């Protein structure tokens, strides 16, 4: 393996292990020492790739968390087809697809928001970028639904977009408090009713 490839592999190992540790234990309580212990790498290897834990945190948000939200919740909004059906499948299929591990630990983005969004402006901006991209995708889809007469013209696209994001992120956090999916089933029923109300 070439040195460049080895270096990139080391960087990827640090990134992936850090994401897992931050997700399971929280950002603030996960030290560089804990990351190095988990990766079995040296501190020298860490500081060769990342100047600080802050820089690593930003990398995790932009390279891991943002990709996850984009693939699961944003990209599907741009599919062709009926806007209401896309809304339903994006939110309902996604919430049903999470394994127990994800249900127990919640949403990585939401965890970061709750833990460090008010802690450092750089984290706030990185996390806001994800929300803004998600909100823009939803607004575009809802406007498309109005144009195709599947969503009521009177509906505020901006209000619906932020409501859907907030409800989805909220239930991801609330589910961490429970040992079963009853609360998720209630959310799914509520979301289905809400989408029914905005349909034309």
């Amino acid at each position: 393996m070439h040195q460049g490839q080895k270096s990139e592999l080391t960087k990827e190992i640090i990134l992936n292990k850090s994401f897992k540790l931050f997700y399971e234990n929280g950002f603030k309580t996960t030290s560089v020492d804990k990351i190095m212990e988990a990766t079995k790498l040296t501190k020298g290897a860490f500081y060769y790739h990342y100047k600080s834990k802050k820089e690593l945190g930003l990398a995790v948000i932009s390279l891991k968390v943002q990709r996850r939200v984009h693939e699961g919740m944003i990209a599907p909004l741009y599919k062709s087809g009926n806007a209401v059906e896309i809304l339903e499948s994006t939110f309902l299929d996604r919430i049903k697809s999470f394994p127990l591990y994800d249900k127990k630990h919640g949403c990585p983005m939401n965890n970061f928001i709750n833990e460090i969004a008010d802690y450092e402006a750089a984290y706030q901006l990185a996390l806001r970028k994800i929300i803004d991209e998600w909100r823009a995708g939803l607004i575009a889809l809802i406007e498309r639904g109005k144009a195709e007469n599947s969503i009521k013209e009177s509906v505020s696209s901006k209000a619906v977009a932020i409501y859907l994001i907030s409800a989805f992120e909220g239930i991801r956090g609330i589910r961490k408090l429970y040992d079963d999916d009853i609360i998720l089933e209630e959310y799914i029923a509520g979301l289905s009713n809400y989408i029914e109300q905005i349909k034309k």
Side-chain angles (χ1 to χ4, degrees):
M1 185 183 292
H2 295 299
Q3 187 59 39
Q5 291 175 311
K6 188 176 179 183
S7 179
E8 281 304 307
L9 180 61
T10 299
K11 191 173 185 179
E12 192 71 17
I13 288 168
I14 295 170
L15 190 73
N16 290 336
K17 186 58 73 172
S18 298
F19 171 76
K20 187 173 189 293
L21 290 171
F22 294 159
Y23 190 28
E24 293 176 355
N25 306 314
F27 178 79
K28 290 182 181 177
T29 59
T30 302
S31 64
V32 171
D33 285 338
K34 286 180 181 175
I35 294 166
M36 293 304 91
E37 183 182 334
T39 58
K40 302 196 177 2
L41 296 169
T42 64
K43 272 195 177 180
F46 176 88
Y47 287 110
Y48 177 79
H49 294 289
Y50 300 100
K51 293 188 185 81
S52 62
K53 183 182 162 187
K54 175 184 171 182
E55 187 179 278
L56 173 63
L58 290 170
V60 167
I61 292 168
S62 63
L63 297 175
K64 300 292 290 183
V65 177
Q66 185 170 7
R67 184 183 305 155
R68 181 182 165 117
V69 176
H70 182 84
E71 290 174 358
M73 299 304 299
I74 299 171
L77 301 175
Y78 293 95
K79 293 188 301 188
S80 59
N82 179 278
V84 172
E85 290 174 3
I86 291 169
L87 268 184
E88 288 175 333
S89 64
T90 300
F91 282 86
L92 297 177
D93 291 351
R94 182 68 170 162
I95 204 75
K96 292 173 184 175
S97 73
F98 289 117
L100 182 59
Y101 173 83
D102 289 55
K103 290 173 184 176
K104 287 174 71 175
H105 295 292
C107 172
M109 178 181 68
N110 200 26
N111 293 349
F112 268 113
I113 289 171
N114 288 323
E115 189 180 7
I116 62 170
D118 61 345
Y119 178 65
E120 176 78 49
Y123 298 135
Q124 191 176 63
L125 290 172
L127 292 161
R128 191 190 302 166
K129 182 181 175 185
I130 303 172
I131 294 292
D132 288 346
E133 185 187 2
W134 191 0
R135 183 171 56 177
L138 280 167
I139 290 169
L141 179 64
I142 295 159
E143 288 298 314
R144 199 176 97 199
K146 291 182 188 181
E148 70 187 18
N149 288 318
S150 62
I151 293 177
K152 292 174 183 174
E153 185 62 39
S154 60
V155 163
S156 165
S157 300
K158 291 179 180 178
V160 170
I162 203 64
Y163 175 77
L164 289 172
I165 291 169
S166 300
F168 185 84
E169 290 302 309
I171 197 61
R172 296 293 315 279
I174 291 169
R175 173 59 180 82
K176 294 192 290 185
L177 302 174
Y178 294 86
D179 295 326
D180 57 47
D181 286 340
I182 292 172
I183 199 83
L184 283 186
E185 290 163 9
E186 291 168 350
Y187 162 80
I188 288 166
L191 179 60
S192 297
N193 289 338
Y194 179 75
I195 292 175
E196 195 63 35
Q197 288 171 29
I198 67 171
K199 281 169 64 173
K200 193 159 186 179

